[in-house]
Amino acid sequence: MNLSGIKGVIFDLDGTLVESRLNFTQMRSDIGCPPDEDILTFVAQITCGKAQDKANDRILQHELNDARCAKWLFTGKQMVDTVHEYGLPMAIVTRNCRAASNIKIANNNIPIDFVLTREDAPAKPDPTALLMVAEKWQLQPKDCLYVGDYIYDQLAAENAGMQWLLV
């Protein structure tokens, strides 16, 4: 993890800082989402309010069940410790809901309190949440590093004009 020239680090949560056992195949099946479609995009396009609420409730249950079991990833803890040693600001930007994110962070004593979830900004790969963090820190996006484990993380960082590290 090269922090040369970096003034702030933003982390993804699932698969980056903590393990995730979300079964996306089962989640898609539960809400009728095709296998090749993004789950959150699929739900956002449901026109019936009741059906959309039901789909969101099913996703929430999957996320909360996963959150209760999530544990620090060794490399995630190492990265956070390293950034802490450098004295850089840290944030988390996740596609998770706030409730599941809070459980994962609290249960693992993750020392990051600036957290943006899908309730705060459009989900990645949209760069809005990353740009919100840079703005709050009063940093240029190019001076920030986004660390994640999935193509959406890379795309969000590129869309925001940030450096990125795919783990």
Side-chain angles (χ1 to χ4, degrees), residues 89-117:
M90 291 183 277
I92 294 173
V93 169
T94 179
R95 287 172 55 100
N96 259 313
C97 67
R98 178 154 308 280
S101 298
N102 287 344
I103 291 169
K104 291 175 182 188
I105 291 165
N107 286 353
N108 292 285
N109 296 311
I110 297 174
I112 301 173
D113 57 8
F114 186 14
V115 180
L116 296 179
T117 68

Side-chain angles (χ1 to χ4, degrees), residues 92-160:
I92 294 173
V93 169
T94 179
R95 287 172 55 100
N96 259 313
C97 67
R98 178 154 308 280
S101 298
N102 287 344
I103 291 169
K104 291 175 182 188
I105 291 165
N107 286 353
N108 292 285
N109 296 311
I110 297 174
I112 301 173
D113 57 8
F114 186 14
V115 180
L116 296 179
T117 68
R118 68 174 180 260
E119 288 104 344
D120 301 307
K124 300 173 290 185
D126 185 293
T128 302
L130 297 180
L131 294 170
M132 289 169 63
V133 173
E135 183 178 323
K136 179 166 173 89
W137 288 342
Q138 299 181 343
L139 295 176
Q140 293 299 312
K142 67 180 177 59
D143 296 324
C144 298
L145 174 68
Y146 185 57
V147 182
D149 70 312
Y150 191 65
I151 188 68
Y152 287 167
D153 300 316
Q154 177 183 343
L155 293 172
E158 289 175 350
N159 291 338

Side-chain angles (χ1 to χ4, degrees), residues 13-136:
L13 185 59
D14 288 359
T16 302
L17 296 182
V18 297
E19 63 188 17
S20 175
R21 296 191 176 144
L22 282 172
N23 183 336
F24 290 102
T25 301
Q26 184 62 52
M27 195 182 300
R28 279 185 176 87
S29 174
D30 287 354
I31 65 171
C33 178
D36 59 340
E37 192 165 341
D38 177 74
I39 293 171
L40 298 179
T41 302
F42 174 80
V43 173
Q45 294 172 350
I46 296 174
T47 56
C48 173
K50 277 188 172 186
Q52 189 178 57
D53 288 346
K54 184 177 178 181
N56 278 321
D57 287 345
R58 290 297 302 143
I59 291 168
L60 176 63
Q61 288 311 308
H62 280 275
E63 288 181 326
L64 291 175
N65 290 338
D66 178 64
R68 293 179 190 103
C69 303
K71 301 290 180 215
W72 264 113
L73 288 168
F74 178 76
T75 55
K77 182 154 181 20
Q78 279 186 316
M79 290 186 293
V80 168
D81 289 345
T82 299
V83 174
H84 182 73
E85 288 172 13
Y86 274 76
L88 299 175
M90 291 183 277
I92 294 173
V93 169
T94 179
R95 287 172 55 100
N96 259 313
C97 67
R98 178 154 308 280
S101 298
N102 287 344
I103 291 169
K104 291 175 182 188
I105 291 165
N107 286 353
N108 292 285
N109 296 311
I110 297 174
I112 301 173
D113 57 8
F114 186 14
V115 180
L116 296 179
T117 68
R118 68 174 180 260
E119 288 104 344
D120 301 307
K124 300 173 290 185
D126 185 293
T128 302
L130 297 180
L131 294 170
M132 289 169 63
V133 173
E135 183 178 323
K136 179 166 173 89

